[in-house]
Short mmCIF file of all heavy atoms in Angstrom, two decimals:
data_model
loop_
_atom_site.label_atom_id
_atom_site.label_comp_id
_atom_site.label_asym_id
_atom_site.label_seq_id
_atom_site.Cartn_x
_atom_site.Cartn_y
_atom_site.Cartn_z
N GLY R 1 0.83 -1.27 0.05
CA GLY R 1 -0.07 -0.02 0.00
C GLY R 1 0.87 1.26 0.01
O GLY R 1 0.65 2.18 -0.77
N SER R 2 1.88 1.29 0.89
CA SER R 2 2.70 2.48 0.96
C SER R 2 3.51 2.67 -0.28
O SER R 2 3.62 3.86 -0.81
CB SER R 2 3.64 2.41 2.20
OG SER R 2 2.85 2.31 3.42
N VAL R 3 4.03 1.49 -0.81
CA VAL R 3 4.87 1.54 -2.08
C VAL R 3 4.11 2.04 -3.27
O VAL R 3 4.54 3.06 -4.00
CB VAL R 3 5.50 0.25 -2.25
CG1 VAL R 3 6.18 0.24 -3.71
CG2 VAL R 3 6.53 -0.10 -1.20
N LEU R 4 2.92 1.57 -3.39
CA LEU R 4 1.98 1.91 -4.46
C LEU R 4 1.65 3.36 -4.35
O LEU R 4 1.56 4.05 -5.39
CB LEU R 4 0.80 1.15 -4.39
CG LEU R 4 -0.32 1.22 -5.49
CD1 LEU R 4 0.32 1.11 -6.86
CD2 LEU R 4 -1.52 0.39 -5.35
N LEU R 5 1.28 3.90 -3.23
CA LEU R 5 0.94 5.33 -3.07
C LEU R 5 2.20 6.06 -3.45
O LEU R 5 1.94 7.18 -4.13
CB LEU R 5 0.57 5.58 -1.66
CG LEU R 5 0.06 6.99 -1.33
CD1 LEU R 5 -1.11 7.35 -2.20
CD2 LEU R 5 -0.27 7.22 0.16
N GLY R 6 3.38 5.74 -3.05
CA GLY R 6 4.57 6.54 -3.31
C GLY R 6 4.76 6.59 -4.87
O GLY R 6 5.17 7.64 -5.51
N VAL R 7 4.66 5.39 -5.58
CA VAL R 7 4.74 5.32 -7.05
C VAL R 7 3.76 6.17 -7.74
O VAL R 7 4.13 6.89 -8.65
CB VAL R 7 4.75 3.87 -7.46
CG1 VAL R 7 4.77 3.78 -8.99
CG2 VAL R 7 5.87 3.06 -6.96
N LEU R 8 2.51 6.19 -7.36
CA LEU R 8 1.54 6.93 -7.99
C LEU R 8 1.74 8.42 -7.75
O LEU R 8 1.63 9.16 -8.77
CB LEU R 8 0.15 6.55 -7.38
CG LEU R 8 -0.46 5.22 -7.68
CD1 LEU R 8 -1.70 4.88 -6.91
CD2 LEU R 8 -0.73 4.95 -9.20
N ARG R 9 2.27 8.78 -6.61
CA ARG R 9 2.52 10.15 -6.41
C ARG R 9 3.65 10.62 -7.29
O ARG R 9 3.68 11.74 -7.77
CB ARG R 9 2.90 10.45 -4.99
CG ARG R 9 1.57 10.60 -4.05
CD ARG R 9 1.95 10.56 -2.65
NE ARG R 9 0.87 10.87 -1.73
CZ ARG R 9 0.84 10.75 -0.45
NH1 ARG R 9 1.98 10.45 0.25
NH2 ARG R 9 -0.15 11.09 0.30
N SER R 10 4.71 9.88 -7.42
CA SER R 10 5.90 10.22 -8.19
C SER R 10 5.51 10.30 -9.66
O SER R 10 6.22 11.04 -10.41
CB SER R 10 7.09 9.16 -8.09
OG SER R 10 6.67 8.02 -8.56
N GLU R 11 4.47 9.69 -10.10
CA GLU R 11 4.18 9.71 -11.53
C GLU R 11 3.28 10.93 -11.88
O GLU R 11 3.01 11.17 -13.03
CB GLU R 11 3.44 8.39 -11.91
CG GLU R 11 4.31 7.17 -12.02
CD GLU R 11 5.33 7.43 -13.12
OE1 GLU R 11 4.93 7.81 -14.18
OE2 GLU R 11 6.46 7.13 -12.84
N LEU R 12 2.68 11.59 -10.82
CA LEU R 12 1.99 12.75 -11.19
C LEU R 12 2.83 14.00 -11.79
O LEU R 12 4.00 13.99 -11.39
CB LEU R 12 1.24 13.27 -9.92
CG LEU R 12 0.22 12.52 -9.31
CD1 LEU R 12 -0.27 13.00 -8.07
CD2 LEU R 12 -0.96 12.32 -10.39
N PRO R 13 2.25 14.70 -12.73
CA PRO R 13 3.12 15.81 -13.29
C PRO R 13 3.61 16.77 -12.25
O PRO R 13 3.03 16.91 -11.11
CB PRO R 13 2.09 16.52 -14.22
CG PRO R 13 1.06 15.49 -14.48
CD PRO R 13 0.94 14.63 -13.22
N ARG R 14 4.75 17.42 -12.46
CA ARG R 14 5.29 18.24 -11.55
C ARG R 14 4.68 19.73 -11.71
O ARG R 14 3.93 19.95 -12.60
CB ARG R 14 6.86 18.45 -11.88
CG ARG R 14 7.64 17.03 -11.65
CD ARG R 14 7.55 16.56 -10.24
NE ARG R 14 8.23 15.24 -10.28
CZ ARG R 14 8.43 14.48 -9.20
NH1 ARG R 14 7.71 14.98 -8.08
NH2 ARG R 14 9.05 13.45 -9.20
N GLY R 15 4.96 20.54 -10.79
CA GLY R 15 4.62 21.96 -10.85
C GLY R 15 3.19 22.10 -10.63
O GLY R 15 2.45 21.39 -9.89
N ARG R 16 2.50 23.13 -11.21
CA ARG R 16 1.11 23.50 -11.00
C ARG R 16 0.22 22.34 -11.41
O ARG R 16 -0.77 22.07 -10.76
CB ARG R 16 0.86 24.85 -11.92
CG ARG R 16 -0.48 25.46 -11.42
CD ARG R 16 -0.77 26.71 -12.36
NE ARG R 16 0.54 27.48 -12.45
CZ ARG R 16 0.73 28.40 -13.44
NH1 ARG R 16 -0.32 28.70 -14.28
NH2 ARG R 16 1.80 29.10 -13.39
N ARG R 17 0.49 21.72 -12.48
CA ARG R 17 -0.34 20.71 -13.02
C ARG R 17 -0.32 19.49 -12.03
O ARG R 17 -1.34 18.86 -11.77
CB ARG R 17 0.09 20.20 -14.38
CG ARG R 17 -0.07 21.12 -15.51
CD ARG R 17 0.11 20.57 -16.81
NE ARG R 17 1.43 19.92 -16.99
CZ ARG R 17 1.77 19.09 -17.91
NH1 ARG R 17 0.72 18.85 -18.93
NH2 ARG R 17 2.92 18.52 -18.06
N GLY R 18 0.85 19.27 -11.43
CA GLY R 18 0.89 18.12 -10.49
C GLY R 18 -0.01 18.38 -9.22
O GLY R 18 -0.59 17.57 -8.73
N LYS R 19 0.10 19.59 -8.80
CA LYS R 19 -0.76 19.99 -7.53
C LYS R 19 -2.21 19.85 -7.87
O LYS R 19 -2.92 19.29 -7.05
CB LYS R 19 -0.44 21.45 -7.09
CG LYS R 19 1.03 21.66 -6.61
CD LYS R 19 1.24 23.05 -6.28
CE LYS R 19 2.66 23.29 -5.72
NZ LYS R 19 2.95 24.69 -5.36
N VAL R 20 -2.65 20.22 -9.12
CA VAL R 20 -4.11 20.17 -9.29
C VAL R 20 -4.45 18.68 -9.48
O VAL R 20 -5.47 18.32 -8.95
CB VAL R 20 -4.35 20.91 -10.72
CG1 VAL R 20 -5.91 20.72 -11.03
CG2 VAL R 20 -4.05 22.40 -10.39
N GLY R 21 -3.58 17.88 -10.20
CA GLY R 21 -3.83 16.50 -10.38
C GLY R 21 -3.98 15.74 -8.95
O GLY R 21 -4.70 14.91 -8.75
N SER R 22 -3.00 16.12 -8.01
CA SER R 22 -3.00 15.53 -6.72
C SER R 22 -4.32 15.94 -6.02
O SER R 22 -4.83 14.99 -5.20
CB SER R 22 -1.72 16.07 -5.96
OG SER R 22 -0.59 15.74 -6.59
N ALA R 23 -4.79 17.04 -6.16
CA ALA R 23 -5.94 17.37 -5.51
C ALA R 23 -7.21 16.61 -5.98
O ALA R 23 -8.05 16.33 -5.15
CB ALA R 23 -6.19 18.94 -5.83
N PHE R 24 -7.12 16.16 -7.25
CA PHE R 24 -8.22 15.31 -7.78
C PHE R 24 -8.12 13.87 -7.15
O PHE R 24 -9.13 13.23 -6.88
CB PHE R 24 -8.19 15.27 -9.24
CG PHE R 24 -8.81 16.29 -10.01
CD1 PHE R 24 -8.09 17.30 -10.57
CD2 PHE R 24 -10.18 16.42 -9.98
CE1 PHE R 24 -8.72 18.29 -11.30
CE2 PHE R 24 -10.82 17.47 -10.64
CZ PHE R 24 -10.06 18.45 -11.35
N LEU R 25 -6.79 13.33 -6.98
CA LEU R 25 -6.64 12.08 -6.78
C LEU R 25 -6.18 11.63 -5.35
O LEU R 25 -6.26 10.42 -5.10
CB LEU R 25 -5.59 11.55 -7.77
CG LEU R 25 -5.87 11.50 -9.15
CD1 LEU R 25 -4.66 11.07 -10.01
CD2 LEU R 25 -7.04 10.59 -9.52
N ILE R 26 -5.80 12.56 -4.52
CA ILE R 26 -5.21 12.13 -3.29
C ILE R 26 -6.13 11.31 -2.30
O ILE R 26 -5.67 10.41 -1.68
CB ILE R 26 -4.78 13.46 -2.51
CG1 ILE R 26 -3.94 13.09 -1.28
CG2 ILE R 26 -5.95 14.29 -2.00
CD1 ILE R 26 -2.56 12.40 -1.65
N SER R 27 -7.39 11.61 -2.39
CA SER R 27 -8.32 10.96 -1.36
C SER R 27 -8.49 9.48 -2.02
O SER R 27 -8.50 8.50 -1.22
CB SER R 27 -9.69 11.58 -1.19
OG SER R 27 -10.28 11.66 -2.54
N ASN R 28 -8.60 9.41 -3.35
CA ASN R 28 -8.63 8.09 -3.93
C ASN R 28 -7.42 7.20 -3.73
O ASN R 28 -7.52 5.95 -3.57
CB ASN R 28 -8.99 8.17 -5.42
CG ASN R 28 -10.52 8.73 -5.63
OD1 ASN R 28 -11.30 8.60 -4.61
ND2 ASN R 28 -10.68 9.34 -6.70
N LEU R 29 -6.27 7.88 -3.81
CA LEU R 29 -5.03 7.12 -3.64
C LEU R 29 -4.95 6.57 -2.22
O LEU R 29 -4.48 5.47 -2.08
CB LEU R 29 -3.95 7.96 -3.95
CG LEU R 29 -3.66 8.52 -5.39
CD1 LEU R 29 -2.45 9.32 -5.50
CD2 LEU R 29 -3.70 7.40 -6.37
N LYS R 30 -5.30 7.42 -1.23
CA LYS R 30 -5.38 6.88 0.10
C LYS R 30 -6.29 5.59 0.28
O LYS R 30 -6.12 4.76 1.13
CB LYS R 30 -5.75 8.07 1.06
CG LYS R 30 -4.69 9.06 1.20
CD LYS R 30 -5.08 10.17 2.22
CE LYS R 30 -4.04 11.23 2.33
NZ LYS R 30 -4.37 12.24 3.30
N ARG R 31 -7.38 5.71 -0.54
CA ARG R 31 -8.42 4.56 -0.36
C ARG R 31 -7.71 3.29 -0.93
O ARG R 31 -7.93 2.16 -0.27
CB ARG R 31 -9.62 4.91 -1.12
CG ARG R 31 -10.48 5.94 -0.43
CD ARG R 31 -11.75 6.28 -1.15
NE ARG R 31 -12.56 7.22 -0.55
CZ ARG R 31 -13.61 7.71 -1.01
NH1 ARG R 31 -14.14 7.42 -2.18
NH2 ARG R 31 -14.30 8.68 -0.38
N ILE R 32 -6.99 3.53 -1.97
CA ILE R 32 -6.25 2.16 -2.60
C ILE R 32 -5.29 1.64 -1.54
O ILE R 32 -5.15 0.52 -1.37
CB ILE R 32 -5.45 2.67 -3.92
CG1 ILE R 32 -6.49 3.01 -4.90
CG2 ILE R 32 -4.61 1.58 -4.31
CD1 ILE R 32 -5.84 3.61 -6.19
N LYS R 33 -4.63 2.63 -0.95
CA LYS R 33 -3.62 2.14 0.11
C LYS R 33 -4.28 1.41 1.32
O LYS R 33 -3.84 0.31 1.77
CB LYS R 33 -2.84 3.33 0.74
CG LYS R 33 -1.80 2.86 1.79
CD LYS R 33 -1.10 4.24 2.34
CE LYS R 33 -0.20 3.84 3.38
NZ LYS R 33 -0.79 3.35 4.68
N LYS R 34 -5.45 1.88 1.67
CA LYS R 34 -6.12 1.22 2.74
C LYS R 34 -6.70 -0.10 2.28
O LYS R 34 -6.72 -1.03 3.04
CB LYS R 34 -7.31 2.12 3.22
CG LYS R 34 -6.93 3.31 4.10
CD LYS R 34 -8.15 4.11 4.39
CE LYS R 34 -7.67 5.43 5.37
NZ LYS R 34 -7.29 4.95 6.67
N ARG R 35 -7.07 -0.12 0.99
CA ARG R 35 -7.57 -1.53 0.48
C ARG R 35 -6.60 -2.58 0.56
O ARG R 35 -6.88 -3.75 0.64
CB ARG R 35 -8.24 -1.33 -1.00
CG ARG R 35 -9.52 -0.70 -1.07
CD ARG R 35 -10.64 -1.63 -0.90
NE ARG R 35 -10.53 -2.74 -1.74
CZ ARG R 35 -10.93 -2.72 -3.02
NH1 ARG R 35 -11.45 -1.73 -3.55
NH2 ARG R 35 -10.84 -3.87 -3.81
N LEU R 36 -5.30 -2.17 0.32
CA LEU R 36 -4.27 -3.08 0.25
C LEU R 36 -3.55 -3.36 1.67
O LEU R 36 -2.79 -4.19 1.83
CB LEU R 36 -3.14 -2.56 -0.60
CG LEU R 36 -3.52 -2.52 -2.09
CD1 LEU R 36 -2.35 -1.84 -2.88
CD2 LEU R 36 -3.75 -3.89 -2.64
N ASP R 37 -4.12 -2.55 2.66
CA ASP R 37 -3.44 -2.76 4.03
C ASP R 37 -4.20 -3.75 4.80
O ASP R 37 -5.40 -3.48 5.24
CB ASP R 37 -3.41 -1.45 4.72
CG ASP R 37 -2.76 -1.46 6.10
OD1 ASP R 37 -2.26 -2.50 6.49
OD2 ASP R 37 -2.63 -0.38 6.64
N HIS R 38 -3.67 -5.00 5.14
CA HIS R 38 -4.42 -6.02 5.84
C HIS R 38 -4.82 -5.54 7.19
O HIS R 38 -5.77 -6.10 7.82
CB HIS R 38 -3.54 -7.30 5.91
CG HIS R 38 -2.74 -7.34 7.19
ND1 HIS R 38 -1.62 -6.67 7.33
CD2 HIS R 38 -2.97 -8.12 8.24
CE1 HIS R 38 -1.12 -6.94 8.50
NE2 HIS R 38 -1.89 -7.78 9.10
N ALA R 39 -4.05 -4.69 7.75
CA ALA R 39 -4.34 -4.17 9.16
C ALA R 39 -5.72 -3.41 9.18
O ALA R 39 -6.26 -3.29 10.23
CB ALA R 39 -3.20 -3.20 9.67
#
């Protein structure tokens, strides 16, 4: 979960576009991490 979240974040565009893209996806990326976390 943690590795996947880090990889997805690193693939987002840099600069202003990356910030906007992160705003769209950050909550969903966290949900993916939780889905993969057996804890």
Side-chain angles (χ1 to χ4, degrees):
S2 298
V3 171
L4 179 59
L5 184 59
V7 171
L8 290 172
R9 281 174 171 167
S10 69
E11 287 298 314
L12 290 173
R14 304 294 181 183
R16 193 183 314 163
R17 292 194 303 169
K19 291 181 180 180
V20 177
S22 297
F24 276 108
L25 295 176
I26 191 64
S27 61
N28 288 336
L29 296 182
K30 289 181 178 179
R31 288 178 181 176
I32 294 175
K33 178 179 180 294
K34 287 179 178 288
R35 283 278 305 276
L36 292 175
D37 187 359
H38 93 281

